[in-house]
Amino acid sequence: MRKYAFFLGCTIPVRSISYEISARKVLEALGIELVTLKEFSCCGPAPLYSLDFYGALAISARNLSVAAEKGLDILTLCSGCFETLLRAKIELEQNVNTRKKVEDILNSAGRKLSTNVNVKHIAILLAKDIGVGELKKKVSADLKDISVATFPGCHLFRPGRALRTSDNPQKPKLLDKIVEALGAKPIEYTGKYECCGGTLSGIDQELSMKMMVEKLRSIAEEGADCIVTACPFCFIQFDMGQQAAKRDLKENISIPVLYLTELIGLAFGIPPEELGLNTHASDVSPLLSKISRDG
Amino acid sequence: MLSEIAEKIQICVACGTCVGGCLVSRLDKRFRPMRIIHTAVVDVNRLINEPSVWLCSYCYICSERCPKAVEFPDILTRLRNYIAKHGNLPAAYKMLLANISKHGTALELDEFALMEREEYGLPDPSPSQETIKEIKSIINTSGLSVFIREG
Ligand code: SF4
Ligand code: SF4
């Protein structure tokens, strides 16, 4: 049985627990064991790097060291945590001067630096390590009438050079491949490979909303039954953002937003309430009524 | 710090590819990645009072397309370090750091959140006191310390 240090990050456990709930269910069904560690902290997100590069890198490095000490690889749900931690590892392994500086900061906090750990995102674990073939075997519900607007987001794939992305970083197909394996139909739409705008909420709310609503409109035009993401920032942007767009912009679009692991859970025949689907802001019932579970 | 990026910003050939593919640039005239690089080449101090440096969404499209591999977002991160130390930084970033210093994470798992988690049988993942102590120590011994004001 494969075992991972489960890196939840800041946002999911507080603001978006259905990602965690559904991920735990799906991974359990696939025989993956997860270890929750109170030694983990915030990953050291991009805004911290903007304040002080080395301080932020030390916070990321500390998380890597925690997992390395336990001999466990890290599994993330959030694409932001994934990018941060994987890039921290690569940066620390490639740049001796950087490593020395970060080592000094960590030592004074009583922590030994180790980067001897792999960092995986759940979408990559599912599609590449476990493999879409294995996912297919577990499918019991019929999703053939569901057209899915996957939203790949940025940090699972970019920057491609630094993350050594095997997909095309500007047009990644990873989520579509999983959706296809589940028997549903992935669709193309304008803006699919762009940014959701989530990083700008709290900086410029209007701009952040504009970035999301553009995509929401083109997704609605293509008649998608749902939006599927693998990142809490993209999810919150589309899920809660739809409600804000209704209120502030009179934009009357309603499309269920799902986490990748929720769609997989539904395909595996796990009841929606057990996946935490009732915690969403957007109404998921139109989607659920199109899935036949005895398929 | 800026010496680490000086070489990289010099190789920009002003082709404008980064602006062309940038969603933020399309939606907001104030923001142009190429212009930020150029200003930095001439005199980085001119960026100290430039609010648009905080509008990049870090989508890394420009970085994928740049013919010279300038990697604008990573350059901008280092420029922001300099700019922030001169007092220009978003309130949200300061608050984020304050939360991380206090709780070890950006969002505290309060009673309500813990109750909801319990309903679904999820464990309490909040960082231990020992973890928070280490995080505080990292903040205090690094350049992050100047952005923390207690009380
Ligand atoms: S794409 Fe690269 S080389 Fe061209 S203007 Fe932008 S940073 Fe300069
Ligand atoms: S990373 Fe920033 S500058 Fe580059 S394309 Fe995205 S928003 Fe524009």
Side-chain angles (χ1 to χ4, degrees), chain A residues 184-274:
Chain A
K185 285 189 304 254
I187 62 158
E188 292 296 321
Y189 59 90
T190 309
K192 179 167 175 175
Y193 305 99
E194 287 175 357
C195 167
C196 71
T199 46
L200 292 176
S201 88
I203 301 293
D204 187 322
Q205 197 53 36
E206 201 185 315
L207 177 59
S208 166
M209 277 296 270
K210 258 192 219 164
M211 292 166 79
M212 185 279 288
V213 168
E214 271 196 357
K215 260 84 81 177
L216 194 60
R217 285 195 193 117
S218 64
I219 290 169
E221 262 167 41
E222 300 300 331
D225 293 303
C226 63
I227 300 170
V228 165
T229 93
C231 171
F233 293 99
C234 303
F235 178 89
I236 290 170
Q237 191 72 353
F238 281 106
D239 186 54
M240 297 187 187
Q242 267 183 65
Q243 314 307 317
K246 275 195 193 104
R247 195 181 56 228
D248 305 335
L249 307 169
K250 309 277 168 266
E251 183 66 71
N252 241 332
I253 298 177
S254 291
I255 304 174
V257 186
L258 259 68
Y259 280 112
L260 177 69
T261 44
E262 294 174 336
L263 189 72
I264 297 174
L266 291 172
F268 285 5
I270 302 171
E273 31 329 326
E274 280 181 34

XYZ file of all heavy atoms in Angstrom, chain A residues 184-274:
695
model
N -17.191 10.493 -18.956
C -17.838 11.771 -19.247
C -17.144 12.437 -20.438
O -16.118 11.966 -20.916
C -17.799 12.668 -18.017
N -17.754 13.573 -20.905
C -17.223 14.226 -22.112
C -16.534 15.550 -21.766
O -17.213 16.523 -21.422
C -18.389 14.585 -23.072
C -18.995 13.428 -23.820
C -19.961 13.942 -24.895
C -21.038 14.843 -24.331
N -22.384 14.316 -24.208
N -15.212 15.630 -21.897
C -14.546 16.917 -21.692
C -14.783 17.845 -22.878
O -14.850 17.382 -24.011
C -13.059 16.552 -21.592
C -12.921 15.201 -22.197
C -14.269 14.539 -22.190
N -14.966 19.141 -22.626
C -15.211 20.083 -23.724
C -14.162 21.189 -23.747
O -13.471 21.433 -22.767
C -16.616 20.738 -23.618
C -16.735 21.544 -22.316
C -17.721 19.699 -23.689
C -17.813 22.606 -22.367
N -14.033 21.825 -24.917
C -13.156 22.994 -25.059
C -14.002 24.262 -24.950
O -15.193 24.252 -25.291
C -12.458 22.976 -26.425
C -11.430 21.856 -26.590
C -10.250 21.956 -25.646
O -9.776 23.078 -25.396
O -9.820 20.897 -25.137
N -13.416 25.338 -24.502
C -14.101 26.629 -24.437
C -13.043 27.729 -24.369
O -11.877 27.456 -24.027
C -15.027 26.687 -23.217
C -14.316 26.475 -21.895
C -13.791 27.539 -21.179
C -14.120 25.187 -21.386
C -13.106 27.339 -19.992
C -13.444 24.980 -20.203
C -12.935 26.057 -19.509
O -12.260 25.850 -18.351
N -13.442 28.948 -24.670
C -12.493 30.056 -24.673
C -12.012 30.359 -23.252
O -12.829 30.496 -22.340
C -13.167 31.322 -25.252
O -13.767 30.977 -26.488
C -12.158 32.438 -25.463
N -10.713 30.449 -23.098
C -10.145 30.807 -21.795
C -9.829 29.621 -20.913
O -9.403 29.781 -19.769
N -10.004 28.413 -21.466
C -9.821 27.197 -20.664
C -8.435 27.110 -20.002
O -8.313 26.586 -18.899
C -10.034 25.976 -21.572
C -9.851 24.624 -20.904
C -10.393 23.513 -21.791
C -10.120 22.138 -21.236
N -10.751 21.073 -22.022
N -7.406 27.591 -20.694
C -6.038 27.410 -20.184
C -5.491 28.664 -19.505
O -4.302 28.790 -19.295
C -5.132 26.907 -21.311
C -5.698 25.646 -21.927
C -6.438 25.680 -23.111
C -5.556 24.421 -21.274
C -6.997 24.530 -23.639
C -6.111 23.268 -21.790
C -6.835 23.331 -22.976
O -7.395 22.180 -23.485
N -6.409 29.586 -19.192
C -5.984 30.830 -18.542
C -6.074 30.725 -17.020
O -6.494 29.721 -16.475
C -6.898 31.975 -19.013
C -6.647 32.420 -20.429
C -7.674 33.466 -20.864
O -8.585 33.786 -20.086
O -7.547 33.938 -22.013
N -5.754 31.860 -16.398
C -5.799 31.968 -14.941
C -7.210 32.284 -14.469
O -7.942 33.023 -15.117
C -4.839 33.086 -14.530
S -4.994 33.652 -12.847
N -7.631 31.734 -13.323
C -8.980 31.953 -12.796
C -9.141 33.331 -12.170
O -10.256 33.778 -11.942
C -9.315 30.885 -11.751
S -8.386 31.068 -10.201
N -8.037 33.974 -11.836
C -8.092 35.284 -11.186
C -8.036 35.210 -9.675
O -8.027 36.234 -8.994
N -7.997 34.008 -9.147
C -8.037 33.818 -7.689
C -6.912 34.512 -6.937
O -7.122 35.013 -5.831
N -5.727 34.568 -7.530
C -4.599 35.183 -6.821
C -4.795 36.687 -6.642
O -4.128 37.293 -5.823
C -3.257 34.971 -7.568
O -3.474 35.256 -8.954
C -2.739 33.568 -7.415
N -5.697 37.283 -7.424
C -5.887 38.733 -7.324
C -7.062 39.121 -6.428
O -7.318 40.302 -6.218
C -6.047 39.340 -8.722
C -4.772 39.293 -9.572
C -5.049 39.813 -10.969
C -3.656 40.083 -8.925
N -7.785 38.136 -5.910
C -8.857 38.502 -4.973
C -8.166 38.975 -3.694
O -7.196 38.383 -3.247
C -9.799 37.329 -4.716
O -9.344 36.547 -3.655
N -8.633 40.079 -3.154
C -7.931 40.661 -2.008
C -6.921 41.713 -2.441
O -6.430 42.492 -1.640
N -6.570 41.728 -3.741
C -5.684 42.769 -4.285
C -6.521 43.721 -5.133
O -6.497 44.928 -4.963
C -4.564 42.153 -5.154
C -3.729 41.159 -4.334
C -3.681 43.237 -5.765
C -2.915 41.779 -3.237
N -7.260 43.137 -6.093
C -8.152 43.934 -6.931
C -9.356 43.058 -7.260
O -9.344 42.289 -8.231
C -7.416 44.369 -8.209
C -8.250 45.357 -9.032
O -9.485 45.190 -9.107
O -7.662 46.282 -9.607
N -10.377 43.185 -6.430
C -11.527 42.285 -6.498
C -12.235 42.360 -7.849
O -12.652 41.349 -8.406
C -12.500 42.623 -5.361
C -13.516 41.550 -5.049
C -12.892 40.189 -4.797
O -11.810 40.090 -4.211
N -13.540 39.134 -5.267
N -12.339 43.570 -8.398
C -13.061 43.767 -9.643
C -12.350 43.042 -10.797
O -12.969 42.328 -11.591
C -13.153 45.261 -9.926
C -14.265 45.639 -10.859
C -14.227 47.129 -11.193
O -14.042 47.950 -10.263
O -14.339 47.452 -12.394
N -11.056 43.214 -10.848
C -10.244 42.561 -11.876
C -10.308 41.037 -11.728
O -10.472 40.300 -12.703
C -8.797 43.063 -11.753
C -7.735 42.468 -12.665
C -8.084 42.681 -14.131
C -6.373 43.098 -12.354
N -10.205 40.593 -10.497
C -10.260 39.160 -10.202
C -11.586 38.553 -10.691
O -11.607 37.470 -11.305
C -10.092 38.963 -8.689
O -10.458 37.665 -8.307
N -12.679 39.270 -10.445
C -13.998 38.797 -10.882
C -14.121 38.777 -12.400
O -14.668 37.843 -12.982
C -15.097 39.705 -10.302
C -15.492 39.358 -8.890
S -16.222 37.717 -8.810
C -17.922 38.137 -9.072
N -13.602 39.834 -13.032
C -13.633 39.901 -14.500
C -12.972 38.668 -15.107
O -13.463 38.088 -16.081
C -12.854 41.137 -14.972
C -13.706 42.309 -15.386
C -12.822 43.329 -16.110
C -13.202 44.743 -15.728
N -12.174 45.739 -16.092
N -11.837 38.280 -14.540
C -11.088 37.139 -15.068
C -11.904 35.856 -14.973
O -11.877 35.014 -15.861
C -9.756 36.985 -14.323
C -8.793 38.134 -14.614
S -7.387 38.238 -13.483
C -6.320 36.953 -14.130
N -12.677 35.727 -13.894
C -13.487 34.527 -13.711
C -14.736 34.560 -14.607
O -15.047 33.579 -15.283
C -13.883 34.410 -12.232
C -14.635 33.158 -11.857
S -16.390 33.182 -12.235
C -16.991 34.337 -11.010
N -15.436 35.693 -14.603
C -16.730 35.777 -15.297
C -16.598 35.538 -16.806
O -17.437 34.862 -17.413
C -17.437 37.125 -14.986
C -18.617 37.352 -15.910
C -17.898 37.154 -13.534
N -15.525 36.048 -17.401
C -15.265 35.769 -18.830
C -15.352 34.272 -19.127
O -15.960 33.844 -20.104
C -13.829 36.190 -19.184
C -13.664 37.600 -19.624
C -12.320 37.790 -20.317
O -11.506 36.828 -20.403
O -12.086 38.892 -20.773
N -14.672 33.522 -18.280
C -14.637 32.068 -18.470
C -16.007 31.447 -18.196
O -16.453 30.558 -18.915
C -13.607 31.444 -17.524
C -12.288 31.113 -18.163
C -11.318 32.238 -18.240
C -10.576 32.478 -16.969
N -9.564 33.573 -17.160
N -16.657 31.916 -17.144
C -17.973 31.404 -16.793
C -18.924 31.534 -17.988
O -19.668 30.608 -18.316
C -18.511 32.195 -15.596
C -19.713 31.638 -14.859
C -19.416 30.255 -14.293
C -20.146 32.584 -13.738
N -18.859 32.682 -18.653
C -19.730 32.919 -19.823
C -19.411 31.940 -20.942
O -20.312 31.341 -21.528
C -19.533 34.343 -20.341
C -20.184 35.381 -19.462
C -20.287 36.727 -20.187
N -20.614 37.761 -19.225
C -19.829 38.804 -18.922
N -18.681 38.975 -19.548
N -20.196 39.681 -18.015
N -18.140 31.763 -21.248
C -17.823 30.887 -22.381
C -18.127 29.425 -22.043
O -18.508 28.643 -22.910
C -16.380 31.079 -22.855
O -15.471 30.708 -21.869
N -18.019 29.074 -20.770
C -18.372 27.712 -20.352
C -19.878 27.501 -20.507
O -20.332 26.468 -21.003
C -17.926 27.453 -18.889
C -16.400 27.368 -18.804
C -18.553 26.170 -18.341
C -15.836 27.382 -17.393
N -20.650 28.522 -20.126
C -22.109 28.436 -20.254
C -22.512 28.332 -21.726
O -23.400 27.561 -22.086
C -22.769 29.648 -19.603
N -21.818 29.100 -22.572
C -22.122 29.064 -24.007
C -21.945 27.673 -24.600
O -22.677 27.275 -25.510
C -21.192 30.029 -24.766
C -21.818 31.375 -25.059
C -20.763 32.377 -25.502
O -19.866 32.001 -26.287
O -20.842 33.531 -25.036
N -20.955 26.946 -24.118
C -20.707 25.599 -24.646
C -21.642 24.564 -24.024
O -21.553 23.373 -24.323
C -19.256 25.180 -24.415
C -18.206 26.083 -25.063
C -18.336 26.160 -26.583
O -18.809 25.185 -27.198
O -17.964 27.213 -27.144
N -22.495 25.004 -23.122
C -23.489 24.102 -22.532
C -22.927 23.039 -21.610
O -23.453 21.925 -21.555
N -21.898 23.380 -20.860
C -21.311 22.400 -19.938
C -22.258 22.085 -18.785
O -23.017 22.933 -18.345
C -19.997 22.937 -19.381
N -22.206 20.832 -18.320
C -23.013 20.444 -17.163
C -22.324 20.782 -15.851
O -22.960 20.897 -14.818
C -23.290 18.929 -17.199
C -24.193 18.561 -18.361
O -25.294 19.126 -18.433
O -23.772 17.745 -19.205
N -21.004 20.872 -15.898
C -20.274 21.238 -14.679
C -18.872 21.722 -15.022
O -18.368 21.485 -16.116
C -20.193 20.059 -13.704
S -19.299 18.643 -14.338
N -18.290 22.422 -14.039
C -16.892 22.839 -14.123
C -16.130 21.940 -13.161
O -16.602 21.685 -12.058
C -16.746 24.316 -13.687
C -17.578 25.223 -14.597
C -15.272 24.732 -13.669
C -17.693 26.658 -14.087
N -14.972 21.446 -13.582
C -14.189 20.581 -12.696
C -12.781 21.144 -12.529
O -12.082 21.411 -13.512
C -14.140 19.131 -13.246
C -13.046 18.324 -12.554
C -15.488 18.447 -13.042
N -12.378 21.337 -11.274
C -11.035 21.859 -11.000
C -10.310 20.951 -10.008
O -10.938 20.112 -9.357
C -11.060 23.279 -10.379
O -11.032 23.163 -8.947
C -12.293 24.049 -10.770
N -9.024 21.163 -9.880
C -8.232 20.405 -8.914
C -7.447 21.349 -8.021
O -6.370 21.019 -7.531
C -7.300 19.433 -9.639
N -8.001 22.554 -7.819
C -7.309 23.559 -7.004
C -8.356 24.359 -6.223
O -9.353 24.790 -6.791
C -6.513 24.487 -7.912
S -5.824 25.923 -7.048
N -8.144 24.560 -4.913
C -9.154 25.254 -4.112
C -9.358 26.710 -4.524
O -10.453 27.243 -4.368
C -8.614 25.172 -2.681
C -7.157 24.924 -2.820
C -7.005 24.130 -4.086
N -8.315 27.360 -5.049
C -8.469 28.757 -5.455
C -9.364 28.865 -6.679
O -10.260 29.703 -6.736
C -7.106 29.418 -5.691
C -6.346 29.550 -4.411
C -5.361 28.636 -4.081
C -6.657 30.554 -3.513
C -4.683 28.731 -2.872
C -5.989 30.663 -2.300
C -5.001 29.741 -1.982
N -9.151 28.004 -7.656
C -10.014 27.971 -8.837
C -11.435 27.608 -8.416
O -12.404 28.184 -8.885
C -9.516 26.951 -9.859
S -7.822 27.187 -10.410
N -11.549 26.633 -7.526
C -12.883 26.183 -7.091
C -13.652 27.327 -6.449
O -14.787 27.627 -6.828
C -12.759 25.007 -6.107
C -14.096 24.519 -5.592
C -14.795 23.541 -6.264
C -14.648 25.080 -4.450
C -16.039 23.110 -5.808
C -15.895 24.658 -3.993
C -16.588 23.672 -4.665
N -13.041 27.979 -5.463
C -13.711 29.064 -4.741
C -14.044 30.196 -5.703
O -15.118 30.791 -5.650
C -12.837 29.540 -3.555
C -12.815 28.446 -2.479
C -13.346 30.867 -2.989
C -11.822 28.673 -1.363
N -13.124 30.472 -6.606
C -13.332 31.525 -7.592
C -14.610 31.269 -8.397
O -15.436 32.155 -8.552
C -12.085 31.575 -8.499
C -11.990 32.763 -9.404
C -11.673 34.060 -8.672
O -11.627 34.138 -7.457
N -11.488 35.115 -9.434
N -14.794 30.048 -8.870
C -15.979 29.727 -9.690
C -17.219 29.457 -8.834
O -18.318 29.854 -9.194
C -15.723 28.509 -10.583
C -14.921 28.836 -11.810
C -13.594 28.455 -11.919
C -15.492 29.540 -12.866
C -12.853 28.767 -13.051
C -14.761 29.858 -13.994
C -13.435 29.468 -14.086
N -17.048 28.771 -7.724
C -18.198 28.350 -6.912
C -18.798 29.528 -6.155
O -19.944 29.893 -6.370
C -17.753 27.239 -5.946
C -18.918 26.641 -5.176
O -19.886 26.199 -5.825
O -18.872 26.608 -3.931
N -18.040 30.144 -5.294
C -18.546 31.304 -4.554
C -18.642 32.509 -5.483
O -19.517 33.357 -5.332
C -17.638 31.624 -3.377
C -17.609 30.493 -2.364
S -16.695 30.965 -0.886
C -16.657 29.408 -0.011
N -17.731 32.584 -6.444
C -17.711 33.705 -7.381
C -18.994 33.829 -8.174
O -19.443 34.930 -8.476
N -19.594 32.685 -8.515
C -20.877 32.722 -9.238
C -21.944 33.454 -8.446
O -22.750 34.196 -9.006
C -21.381 31.294 -9.465
C -20.979 30.696 -10.762
C -21.588 29.313 -10.912
O -22.795 29.145 -10.994
N -20.731 28.308 -10.960
N -21.957 33.238 -7.135
C -22.951 33.895 -6.281
C -22.686 35.402 -6.262
O -23.607 36.207 -6.359
C -22.915 33.336 -4.847
C -22.857 31.810 -4.749
C -23.952 31.129 -5.540
O -25.097 31.564 -5.500
N -23.609 30.083 -6.283
N -21.408 35.762 -6.159
C -21.046 37.180 -6.146
C -21.384 37.830 -7.482
O -21.846 38.969 -7.541
C -19.559 37.333 -5.847
N -21.205 37.091 -8.582
C -21.499 37.635 -9.914
C -22.997 37.857 -10.082
O -23.426 38.803 -10.740
C -20.972 36.687 -10.992
N -23.791 36.984 -9.476
C -25.246 37.159 -9.515
C -25.635 38.432 -8.785
O -26.423 39.234 -9.269
C -25.932 35.970 -8.817
C -26.143 34.801 -9.727
C -27.136 33.794 -9.123
C -27.051 32.519 -9.918
N -26.329 31.436 -9.251
N -25.053 38.606 -7.620
C -25.385 39.726 -6.747
C -24.880 41.057 -7.340
O -25.628 42.009 -7.490
C -24.737 39.474 -5.383
C -25.253 40.350 -4.249
C -24.507 40.012 -2.970
N -23.068 40.167 -3.170
C -22.148 39.267 -2.813
N -22.498 38.154 -2.234
N -20.863 39.491 -3.036
N -23.594 41.093 -7.695
C -22.967 42.365 -8.053
C -23.034 42.687 -9.535
O -23.036 43.837 -9.923
C -21.495 42.379 -7.611
C -21.347 42.077 -6.132
O -22.321 42.324 -5.392
O -20.277 41.584 -5.731
N -23.064 41.674 -10.387
C -22.988 41.932 -11.823
C -24.252 41.501 -12.562
O -24.315 41.585 -13.783
C -21.776 41.212 -12.440
C -20.407 41.476 -11.791
C -19.369 40.498 -12.325
C -19.965 42.903 -12.058
N -25.237 41.034 -11.806
C -26.489 40.548 -12.405
C -26.210 39.503 -13.498
O -26.859 39.472 -14.532
C -27.321 41.704 -13.000
C -27.532 42.864 -12.048
C -28.710 42.593 -11.092
C -28.761 43.590 -9.944
N -28.086 43.200 -8.701
N -25.203 38.710 -13.239
C -24.792 37.690 -14.198
C -25.476 36.391 -13.800
O -25.057 35.741 -12.851
C -23.257 37.546 -14.145
C -22.665 36.578 -15.135
C -22.834 37.040 -16.563
O -22.168 37.998 -16.948
O -23.643 36.426 -17.277
N -26.528 36.028 -14.537
C -27.336 34.920 -14.046
C -26.936 33.555 -14.586
O -27.726 32.877 -15.217
C -28.810 35.191 -14.328
C -29.585 35.253 -13.016
O -29.182 34.619 -12.041
N -30.650 36.017 -12.992
N -25.713 33.171 -14.333
C -25.262 31.863 -14.802
C -25.145 30.915 -13.608
O -24.589 31.283 -12.586
C -23.894 31.971 -15.516
C -24.026 32.877 -16.748
C -23.364 30.600 -15.898
C -22.728 33.113 -17.467
N -25.716 29.732 -13.759
C -25.594 28.722 -12.705
C -25.002 27.446 -13.281
O -25.664 26.769 -14.067
C -26.957 28.406 -12.097
O -27.431 29.489 -11.367
N -23.784 27.151 -12.907
C -23.162 25.895 -13.337
C -22.551 25.236 -12.099
O -21.794 25.878 -11.378
C -22.048 26.135 -14.376
C -22.605 26.922 -15.569
C -21.446 24.814 -14.864
C -21.544 27.320 -16.566
N -22.894 23.977 -11.856
C -22.276 23.288 -10.716
C -20.747 23.255 -10.870
O -20.243 23.051 -11.977
C -22.851 21.873 -10.797
C -24.087 21.996 -11.624
C -23.845 23.131 -12.575
N -20.047 23.472 -9.756
C -18.587 23.410 -9.768
C -18.172 22.228 -8.900
O -18.668 22.074 -7.790
C -17.968 24.702 -9.206
C -16.457 24.681 -9.368
C -18.558 25.921 -9.904
N -17.319 21.390 -9.435
C -16.905 20.193 -8.707
C -15.389 20.090 -8.619
O -14.674 20.539 -9.515
C -17.413 18.926 -9.431
C -18.663 18.261 -8.865
C -19.865 19.166 -9.076
C -18.898 16.917 -9.533
N -14.929 19.495 -7.556
C -13.534 19.088 -7.514
C -13.371 17.799 -8.312
O -14.298 16.974 -8.368
C -13.091 18.832 -6.071
C -12.758 20.090 -5.322
C -13.541 20.531 -4.264
C -11.642 20.854 -5.669
C -13.223 21.693 -3.572
C -11.318 22.011 -4.985
C -12.107 22.425 -3.940
O -11.797 23.573 -3.270
N -12.206 17.644 -8.890
C -11.898 16.432 -9.644
C -12.225 15.178 -8.837
O -12.842 14.228 -9.349
C -10.405 16.437 -10.009
C -9.878 15.220 -10.748
C -10.448 15.168 -12.156
C -8.353 15.227 -10.792
N -11.854 15.195 -7.555
C -12.065 14.008 -6.718
C -13.547 13.768 -6.439
O -13.949 12.639 -6.147
C -11.307 14.153 -5.387
O -11.505 15.482 -4.885
C -9.827 13.914 -5.576
N -14.348 14.836 -6.525
C -15.794 14.651 -6.340
C -16.394 13.952 -7.550
O -17.235 13.053 -7.419
C -16.469 16.007 -6.115
C -16.041 16.664 -4.808
C -16.598 18.069 -4.658
O -16.919 18.720 -5.666
O -16.687 18.531 -3.513
N -15.965 14.375 -8.743
C -16.469 13.715 -9.956
C -16.044 12.245 -9.971
O -16.830 11.360 -10.320
C -15.963 14.433 -11.213
C -16.624 13.951 -12.506
C -18.068 14.439 -12.596
C -15.858 14.414 -13.746
N -14.802 12.001 -9.570
C -14.326 10.611 -9.518
C -15.162 9.816 -8.512
O -15.600 8.698 -8.796
C -12.823 10.546 -9.149
C -11.989 11.237 -10.236
C -12.365 9.099 -8.965
C -10.511 11.361 -9.901
N -15.415 10.419 -7.354
C -16.229 9.769 -6.324
C -17.613 9.413 -6.850
O -18.098 8.303 -6.642
N -18.225 10.361 -7.558
C -19.548 10.096 -8.134
C -19.476 8.951 -9.140
O -20.336 8.069 -9.168
C -20.107 11.351 -8.811
C -20.516 12.517 -7.895
C -20.870 13.746 -8.723
C -21.678 12.113 -6.990
N -18.429 8.970 -9.956
C -18.261 7.909 -10.956
C -18.061 6.548 -10.287
O -18.510 5.523 -10.793
C -17.075 8.232 -11.865
N -17.386 6.570 -9.121
C -17.171 5.315 -8.380
C -18.441 4.852 -7.660
O -18.442 3.821 -7.007
C -16.073 5.488 -7.320
C -14.661 5.537 -7.872
C -14.404 5.537 -9.238
C -13.562 5.578 -7.006
C -13.107 5.587 -9.730
C -12.268 5.630 -7.499
C -12.034 5.640 -8.865
N -19.501 5.667 -7.731
C -20.751 5.283 -7.087
C -20.848 5.687 -5.625
O -21.721 5.205 -4.902
N -19.965 6.579 -5.165
C -20.040 7.055 -3.773
C -21.170 8.089 -3.684
O -21.254 8.980 -4.523
C -18.695 7.680 -3.332
C -17.554 6.649 -3.479
C -18.765 8.204 -1.895
C -16.158 7.205 -3.280
N -22.063 7.964 -2.679
C -23.190 8.905 -2.569
C -22.699 10.353 -2.401
O -21.727 10.585 -1.683
C -23.923 8.443 -1.300
C -23.458 7.048 -1.046
C -22.091 6.929 -1.633
N -23.386 11.310 -3.059
C -22.961 12.715 -3.044
C -22.761 13.282 -1.640
O -21.824 14.046 -1.417
C -24.106 13.452 -3.746
C -24.926 12.419 -4.423
C -24.573 11.090 -3.892
N -23.654 12.899 -0.695
C -23.493 13.484 0.647
C -22.200 13.000 1.298
O -21.565 13.726 2.052
C -24.677 13.298 1.550
C -25.670 12.149 1.584
C -26.045 11.368 0.335
O -26.106 11.906 -0.792
O -26.287 10.178 0.500
N -21.768 11.794 0.980
C -20.522 11.288 1.558
C -19.294 11.979 0.967
O -18.188 11.851 1.458
C -20.411 9.773 1.334
C -21.226 8.970 2.315
C -21.082 7.476 2.097
O -19.985 7.025 1.712
O -22.093 6.775 2.300
